[in-house]
Amino acid sequence: MIRPRWYKVLADLWGNRVRSSLVIASIAVGLFAIGIILTLHTILQRDMRSGYAAIHPANMEMSVLSLRTTTLEKVRGVAGVQNAEAARVFNLRAKARSGEWVTITLNAFPDIKNKKINRPKLEEGNWPPHKRQIAIDRYKLDELGCNVGDWLELELPDGSIRTMQVSGVIQDQSIGASGSGGGFFMAPAQGYISADSLGWLGQPEAYNQLYVAVADHAEDEEHIRLVADRVRKTIEKNGGVVLSQSVRASDNHPNSSYTLAISNVLIVLGALVVVLSGFLITNTFQALLVQQVGQIGIMKTIGGRSQQIIAIYLSLIFIFGVLAFALALPLANWASRGLLKFLAGQINMELQEFRPVPAAAFLMLGLALIVPQAAGFLPILNGVRISVQEATSGIRQTGKTSRPSRLEQRLLHLRRAPRPLLVSLRNTFRSKGRLALTLITLSLGGAIFIATFNVRTSIDDYVTRVGKYFLADINLTLERPYHVREIQKSLEALPEVKMVEGWASARAEILRSDNLVADSTTILAPPADSPLVQPILLEGRWVSAGDHNAIAISERFSDILPGIGPGDTLRLRINGQETRWTVVGRFQLVGKSGGYVAYTSFENLNRTVGYANRTNTFRVVASQPGLTLQGQKELGRKIESYLKSQGYNVKEAAAGLTLNENTTTGLDVLTTFLLIMALLTALVGSIGLMGTMSLNVMERTREIGVLRAIGASDGKVIQIVIVEGLLIGIISWALAFLLSFPISKLMSDAVFMALFDASWRSSFTPIGSVIWLAAALLLSAVASILPARNAARLTIREVLAYE
Amino acid sequence: MHHLDPQPPPCESESEPKALIQLRQVVKRYRSAGGEFTALKGISLDIYPGELVGIVGKSGAGKTTLVNMITGIDHPTSGEILVNGVAIHKMNENQLALWRGRTVGVIYQNFQLMPTLSLLNNIMLPMDFCGLWQRRISAERALELLRAVELEDHAYKLPSAISGGQQQRVAIARALANDPPILIADEPTGRLDSVTAETIFQIFIRLVEAGKTLVMVTHDESLACRASRVIHIADGQITGDSRPRGEGEP
């Protein structure tokens, strides 16, 4: 037989199911959020590493001129090399279903069937593709708009068309691994073909890309660099020229900076949600205990000692915690699974079979058992400390005279306001401690919600700012270099074209002081003082006309050459030749999200590579300012057909805003994720708001009876309660608005440091604030009206006897 | 009506009856925003075993404050209170709770039953807190007490499912749970009709006959005059102490 005190625990739990549900929901929602956060954090980090390692990724990737099969065999024999594969990688244009020609990178492998490095995962159709067949990576499949079995038109450099059948859709996690071209999100669509299709596509059957996996220490990039140096020497000894080289550890997925950013946001959010839940639970128990004061008095009257009564309520809280845990755990796992699926698809990672994270479950259980007990202990202690007389009579004797606060005195002197409004106002500010607790809970929830929108805006702002490195309307690439003046003259004849600049570019290897190649960089070379680049300078200055071998480097260089800055010498190997550059400035680009980028002047680079005023890359500015992406694409088509009519072979005429679009696509993952987190916080905040408001009203059921006894109609009672709810909603919103600024800063710093290795100014958007204001008002009203209506339905006798 | 208490009445000394409850110069002052208020102004009082004492007076006279002093529910500002030889004014809240559970049964005007517990569990709860009875025995005893107040059939109902008079009978049964020598009833019939009030009073008489000492606050003079002793209170002072039935001191 259960002892009566434990029976009371169960009876309290079951007797007021609405109240118990609210308390359990308040605890569960915090646990749920923490469960999701920890599960995502753990699985993202773990699966990204293990999933990437499982494809046997290349530890080094080299662009090589004249890579012969005999050289490849020799590379396989280099000490420390486990395996090496060659490929021919080249760009063509493919006709998307929309009719638009888009760039596609084709990767041709000699022994595609037995590919051992960077193994693709077949998602649909067949692998490997046979001769004249192509497999497509899933990420840009929508852009191409083709399916397995469809025929894809490809435009060759000479303008002829070849049609290949899509044999399969694959996932290639190695996209963006070399860091060139802006990484995964900026990479064009990827196609995979067998080397025996090369001739048919007008390509030489020679390889230009080398992938090497090291035999051991595959997680140590320093060791990989040493092996890479041996590989390079072998290639050079055999007549090859290494144009660029990048190394990557086997557990370092190309998009790991995104998971790091997401994890950082999760950690900040997790910490905030723990605090939020703590307040929410304390608030809830405070309300619960206020309702139990009378019963505590009775128990003390009939012999209940403090420790016995404390044990009763701690047991009740224990059960609340266990039930909340039982509710939150499966929900958190279910939601985490969905979120992970979404994220994995977006950041090109391979999820392992979903399995619950024991650490998350243990943390949730620990929090479910500890936080409510800690949060409830003080209210319980206060409740138990009340004397029997105070508890049973409901009148607190503080022993000291309390003067009304200045605010209360002002409220007392408000004469013109309607009486019900005055009652609401006075009720709101009557219990200041309780009000403070409620406001802290609601404000924190609201502030996090608003902050996530601000962080989104900061990211968008940053993307817009980064777009100012690429201000041209059209980025034009021709099949071969032409004299800059020739193309300028030709294009400026078009009325739609305002200005044409010839840009040079090159891939170069960054040399360390020990002569090892640290990594490779893209060098962009606009004319000195080009108006098409507006850099974000971190230190030093931009490259000017008249500078000799001056170069400005992106912030990422500090990762491999710590302390490098203006005045230092940078050694770069271009086309196998070592060159020396003087760093004049360091600028901020997209940090770890992109590769290494350096800017010099067109003149400097052209002198180095010996092109003498010739290039195949041009930036075109339209006569009409502020063209949309569509407008730019239109102009691109016009320029392309015009140049073709003039006898030039155009490789690509890409809209300038495409770059922005691609960057934004990458960051969209993050902003969508932030939105989901905002909704999760809103859920925590909303349940907190509803729970708190409902318990506030339940607590005042007796007072509602008094109001009705003195003539207040049901409508008036509900009005008083709603106005009070709305007041709390408005005050909490105002505080949330203020609090959102430091939280926005905290969160955006976490994101920007992870993604870009730099902080960025916090932006503000009214969207989050407006949505939260509407939510706070609506939820306050709804949360107040339901219990108020229930209270109004009770008879006066019932309501006065309410416990 | 069954026997309310199977225990025999305590043995009393023929020569020197000793007071069970002793109040010496008890003063109680309350402070509030409105100023200081003296509820009890130096009350001295002896109550003897087996007495049925009615405390009468107008609202605000200090009746409830006085019995709260006896039960240890409230603390005196000054003065001494000895109950069954124990100086309860020196005890802390925790000591008082255990002492009260074992020594005093309190009956309130508004019954003060635990709303979420069945009648049986309401009666078993004081036994559970004070640990005087084994669990199996406490259930039997609770049923016996319910039988004594003729509510055995309602044992598993919640307080809200029975009438006010029945709730008060349960409150009496609960007050007897630990077999305390003293019962304190604060306006026990205040919320009951006259027929039910009479039933409750009859129970009180039987309890006193069974050896309990009962102190009852009431402003119902007709009920008070049926007590063995009536104490009048006005403005925090005893203004009268009489024995309407003309009995001598125990």
Side-chain angles (χ1 to χ4, degrees):
Chain A
M1 190 178 187
I2 304 174
R3 293 173 80 158
R5 68 179 85 166
W6 306 135
Y7 194 85
K8 173 179 162 43
V9 172
L10 297 178
D12 279 348
L13 190 76
W14 190 247
N16 196 334
R17 286 185 285 283
V18 175
R19 186 175 63 193
S20 296
S21 307
L22 279 171
V23 175
I24 292 167
S26 300
I27 305 170
V29 77
L31 296 178
F32 170 70
I34 289 159
I36 287 183
I37 286 169
L38 195 64
T39 304
L40 286 187
H41 181 74
T42 311
I43 294 184
L44 275 179
Q45 296 287 336
R46 192 178 57 196
D47 281 14
M48 183 168 250
R49 265 199 289 270
S50 61
Y52 185 60
I55 69 163
H56 297 280
N59 298 114
M60 68 190 83
E61 207 175 315
M62 290 177 176
S63 288
V64 185
L65 266 181
S66 315
L67 179 63
R68 300 189 194 110
T69 314
T70 50
T71 311
L72 182 65
E73 282 308 318
K74 285 188 175 143
V75 167
R76 283 179 180 142
V78 169
V81 169
Q82 186 199 52
N83 205 348
E85 286 178 0
R88 177 158 191 87
V89 179
F90 57 101
N91 284 355
L92 290 181
R93 290 205 296 178
K95 193 173 187 181
R97 181 166 283 175
S98 62
E100 201 175 332
W101 286 95
V102 296
T103 303
I104 184 168
T105 298
L106 291 187
N107 301 267
F109 300 100
D111 188 12
I112 194 164
K113 192 177 174 186
N114 298 310
K115 195 165 156 43
K116 299 235 169 18
I117 299 175
N118 290 345
R119 283 183 196 161
K121 182 189 159 210
L122 182 66
E123 300 243 308
E124 200 188 334
N126 297 306
W127 178 268
H130 299 302
K131 193 174 180 183
R132 299 187 186 183
Q133 281 189 334
I134 185 169
I136 309 277
D137 176 73
R138 66 179 187 182
Y139 186 66
K140 290 276 171 79
L141 198 65
D142 286 346
E143 185 183 300
L144 290 172
C146 57
N147 296 311
V148 173
D150 288 351
W151 294 88
L152 188 67
E153 280 185 53
L154 297 168
E155 187 192 45
L156 306 192
D158 62 5
S160 58
I161 304 293
R162 291 279 187 268
T163 307
M164 297 187 95
Q165 190 177 29
V166 178
S167 63
V169 175
I170 59 146
Q171 182 197 6
D172 178 5
Q173 289 187 66
S174 70
I175 300 172
S178 72
S180 64
F184 172 73
F185 293 106
M186 309 277 270
Q190 302 286 316
Y192 302 82
I193 58 171
S194 154
D196 49 15
S197 295
L198 280 171
W200 181 66
L201 290 170
Q203 294 286 320
E205 290 192 16
Y207 305 114
N208 59 5
Q209 204 75 7
L210 177 70
Y211 302 97
V212 178
V214 296
D216 43 29
H217 305 298
E219 278 77 42
D220 179 1
E221 291 193 349
E222 208 46 41
H223 168 75
I224 299 168
R225 273 193 191 95
L226 285 170
V227 179
D229 196 52
R230 292 200 283 269
V231 170
R232 146 190 308 284
K233 283 173 181 155
T234 305
I235 293 168
E236 285 169 353
K237 206 183 280 180
N238 288 275
V241 178
V242 178
L243 300 177
S244 71
Q245 166 201 315
S246 64
V247 297
R248 188 171 283 274
S250 287
D251 57 356
N252 185 13
H253 189 286
N255 290 339
S256 58
S257 65
Y258 282 88
T259 42
L260 185 67
I262 289 168
S263 288
N264 282 3
V265 173
L266 287 172
I267 288 165
V268 174
L269 277 178
L272 288 169
V273 168
V274 168
V275 176
L276 177 63
S277 303
F279 276 112
L280 186 56
I281 295 166
T282 309
N283 204 3
T284 308
F285 285 130
Q286 196 105 43
L288 185 75
L289 263 293
V290 167
Q291 291 176 33
Q292 291 282 320
V293 164
Q295 293 192 30
I296 291 172
I298 302 170
M299 286 190 279
K300 286 172 98 170
T301 306
I302 61 173
R305 278 157 286 161
S306 300
Q307 59 268 39
Q308 291 172 326
I309 299 169
I310 288 172
I312 286 175
Y313 287 104
L314 287 183
S315 307
L316 180 65
I317 292 175
F318 174 81
I319 297 175
F320 280 141
V322 170
L323 289 176
F325 170 72
L327 180 70
L329 184 65
L331 276 177
N333 279 336
W334 172 79
S336 301
R337 194 189 297 232
L339 270 171
L340 280 167
K341 217 172 160 188
F342 160 77
L343 284 172
Q346 296 294 309
I347 54 178
N348 196 30
M349 64 175 277
E350 168 72 358
L351 273 183
Q352 314 294 303
E353 185 72 22
F354 180 83
R355 57 252 178 254
V357 177
F362 283 126
L363 182 70
M364 286 169 77
L365 182 64
L367 290 173
L369 300 183
I370 295 164
V371 173
Q373 300 279 343
F377 191 72
L378 209 62
I380 290 172
L381 205 62
N382 284 337
V384 169
R385 274 186 186 153
I386 296 173
S387 74
V388 180
Q389 201 219 348
E390 287 172 332
T392 49
S393 66
I395 302 164
R396 300 245 14 197
Q397 290 161 5
T398 54
K400 55 185 176 189
T401 56
S402 62
R403 286 166 58 89
S405 67
R406 204 175 288 176
L407 179 66
E408 283 171 304
Q409 281 179 344
R410 284 193 181 167
L411 290 175
L412 286 168
H413 287 92
L414 273 178
R415 290 184 195 282
R416 286 192 187 165
R419 292 288 117 182
L421 176 64
L422 281 179
V423 175
S424 303
L425 279 169
R426 285 171 196 164
N427 275 340
T428 306
F429 296 102
R430 192 174 50 182
S431 174
K432 283 181 273 300
R434 181 68 193 283
L435 176 69
L437 206 56
T438 307
L439 287 177
I440 290 172
T441 312
L442 304 183
S443 309
L444 196 56
I448 300 171
F449 180 80
I450 296 169
T452 50
F453 281 86
N454 289 344
V455 174
R456 271 181 67 115
T457 311
S458 297
I459 292 174
D460 288 345
D461 178 47
Y462 190 74
V463 169
T464 309
R465 182 63 188 84
V466 167
K468 294 192 175 177
Y469 281 92
F470 315 96
L471 284 170
D473 288 302
I474 303 294
N475 299 327
L476 184 69
T477 314
L478 301 178
E479 272 306 328
R480 64 176 182 84
Y482 289 90
H483 198 283
V484 174
R485 192 64 213 126
E486 179 188 338
I487 299 298
Q488 276 176 333
K489 207 171 156 190
S490 178
L491 281 179
E492 279 166 9
L494 286 172
E496 293 91 347
V497 173
K498 183 183 169 189
M499 186 181 87
V500 178
E501 280 186 0
W503 282 37
S505 68
R507 288 285 287 167
E509 292 170 297
I510 307 161
L511 294 173
R512 298 196 317 198
S513 55
D514 57 3
N515 285 330
L516 284 183
V517 175
D519 218 307
S520 294
T521 179
T522 299
I523 306 176
L524 295 171
D529 304 323
S530 164
L532 300 183
V533 185
Q534 288 176 17
I536 309 165
L537 277 171
L538 295 172
E539 57 179 328
R541 62 175 176 83
W542 200 240
V543 180
S544 307
D547 279 343
H548 184 72
N549 276 10
I551 200 161
I553 55 173
S554 67
E555 75 281 48
R556 274 210 76 184
F557 276 76
S558 305
D559 293 350
I560 45 169
L561 302 173
I564 190 163
D568 292 338
T569 299
L570 178 68
R571 292 193 302 140
L572 297 174
R573 188 148 53 200
I574 303 172
N575 293 341
Q577 299 296 314
E578 186 184 323
T579 55
R580 284 175 174 264
W581 301 79
T582 304
V583 176
V584 291
R586 221 161 55 85
F587 59 91
Q588 187 177 328
L589 194 61
V590 290
K592 287 173 191 157
S593 297
Y596 299 86
V597 178
Y599 277 84
T600 184
S601 66
F602 181 84
E603 299 76 16
N604 274 332
L605 187 62
N606 253 16
R607 190 172 49 242
T608 308
V609 295
Y611 273 174
N613 276 331
R614 296 167 78 85
T615 182
N616 66 341
T617 313
F618 295 87
R619 298 284 191 270
V620 182
V621 178
S623 306
Q624 188 188 336
L627 279 187
T628 59
L629 178 63
Q630 214 47 46
Q632 288 183 341
K633 281 183 176 173
E634 191 106 351
L635 179 63
R637 279 193 286 270
K638 197 169 274 182
I639 288 173
E640 190 180 336
S641 64
Y642 170 74
L643 286 175
K644 275 185 177 168
S645 70
Q646 300 290 306
Y648 298 103
N649 264 352
V650 177
K651 202 170 181 182
E652 190 181 22
L657 287 173
T658 313
L659 189 88
N660 245 30
E661 196 184 37
N662 287 345
T663 319
T664 317
T665 309
L667 293 171
D668 261 354
V669 181
L670 208 63
T671 52
T672 311
F673 175 74
L674 279 172
L675 187 67
I676 294 168
M677 286 293 119
L679 292 175
L680 190 64
T681 322
L683 183 74
V684 180
S686 304
I687 290 185
L689 182 79
M690 292 195 66
T692 306
M693 299 303 301
S694 301
L695 288 167
N696 270 342
V697 179
M698 280 184 196
E699 191 186 305
R700 296 226 315 279
T701 301
R702 196 190 292 264
E703 186 184 312
I704 289 170
V706 174
L707 283 172
R708 290 186 62 215
I710 60 169
S713 64
D714 290 357
K716 255 322 171 230
V717 168
I718 291 173
Q719 185 193 337
I720 289 170
V721 172
I722 289 178
V723 169
E724 189 189 334
L726 291 177
L727 270 173
I728 293 178
I730 290 170
I731 298 170
S732 77
W733 174 82
L735 292 174
F737 179 76
L738 294 175
L739 197 58
S740 70
F741 288 95
I743 292 179
S744 301
K745 175 80 182 130
L746 197 68
M747 279 169 63
S748 60
D749 278 357
V751 170
F752 280 93
M753 286 312 290
L755 278 184
F756 309 127
D757 259 343
S759 61
W760 184 245
R761 58 174 178 255
S762 284
S763 300
F764 169 76
T765 170
I767 299 171
S769 315
V770 171
I771 295 176
W772 187 249
L773 176 63
L777 293 181
L778 184 75
L779 292 171
S780 306
V782 171
S784 308
I785 201 167
L786 294 178
R789 220 175 54 179
N790 288 342
R793 276 185 190 152
L794 297 171
T795 64
I796 292 173
R797 193 190 65 75
E798 283 170 331
V799 103
L800 291 177
Y802 178 83
E803 294 287 350
Chain B
M1 168 74 69
H2 300 270
H3 288 293
L4 281 165
D5 195 337
Q7 308 298 314
C11 275
E12 289 165 8
S13 161
E14 289 288 323
S15 53
E16 193 66 40
K18 198 179 169 195
L20 186 62
I21 302 166
Q22 293 171 291
L23 278 78
R24 296 284 174 266
Q25 290 299 317
V26 172
V27 173
K28 179 64 188 178
R29 287 192 199 95
Y30 292 113
R31 285 198 184 94
S32 71
E36 197 174 78
F37 169 71
T38 306
L40 297 178
K41 298 170 180 169
I43 283 188
S44 294
L45 174 69
D46 286 341
I47 293 171
Y48 296 91
E51 280 192 311
L52 195 170
V53 181
I55 296 177
V56 291
K58 291 179 180 171
S59 285
K63 306 184 296 288
T64 299
T65 310
L66 178 62
V67 292
N68 280 349
M69 294 295 141
I70 297 169
T71 54
I73 283 175
D74 206 351
H75 298 274
T77 309
S78 65
E80 292 181 347
I81 303 158
L82 281 88
V83 180
N84 214 8
V86 177
I88 64 165
H89 60 281
K90 291 180 180 170
M91 294 167 92
N92 64 29
E93 280 284 323
N94 245 3
Q95 291 167 326
L96 275 170
L98 185 60
W99 169 84
R100 190 166 42 237
R102 292 176 172 184
T103 317
V104 186
V106 186
I107 301 151
Y108 289 100
Q109 179 184 10
N110 53 358
F111 328 129
Q112 298 281 28
L113 297 174
M114 302 295 282
T116 53
L117 291 186
S118 67
L119 306 186
L120 187 73
N121 272 322
N122 257 291
I123 297 167
M124 286 172 68
L125 192 59
M127 297 188 245
D128 182 18
F129 282 143
C130 296
L132 290 176
W133 315 85
Q134 284 181 349
R135 212 176 303 168
R136 190 179 53 78
I137 295 170
S138 68
E140 285 167 11
R141 179 172 167 75
L143 271 173
E144 199 177 313
L145 287 165
L146 274 175
R147 197 176 307 132
V149 293
E150 296 174 345
L151 286 169
E152 193 189 9
D153 294 345
H154 302 278
Y156 297 98
K157 286 183 180 171
L158 288 177
S160 56
I162 57 173
S163 71
Q166 287 171 320
Q167 286 192 47
Q168 193 59 296
R169 276 149 59 192
V170 177
I172 293 168
R174 183 182 65 183
L176 292 167
N178 283 324
D179 192 22
I182 302 164
L183 293 173
I184 306 286
D186 189 356
E187 300 278 8
T189 57
R191 291 177 65 174
L192 305 175
D193 62 76
S194 58
V195 176
T196 316
E198 179 57 31
T199 312
I200 297 297
F201 193 74
Q202 288 303 324
I203 296 172
F204 286 165
I205 289 174
R206 285 202 176 87
L207 286 169
V208 174
E209 283 172 356
K212 301 291 178 195
T213 303
L214 199 146
V215 180
M216 177 179 69
V217 168
T218 181
H219 51 248
D220 183 345
E221 289 282 353
S222 65
L223 211 59
C225 69
R226 291 166 67 190
S228 59
R229 183 178 171 193
V230 179
I231 294 166
H232 287 263
I233 291 194
D235 296 328
Q237 289 173 305
I238 295 176
T239 54
D241 188 347
S242 59
R243 290 186 164 72
R245 285 190 275 172
E247 292 170 14
E249 285 188 1

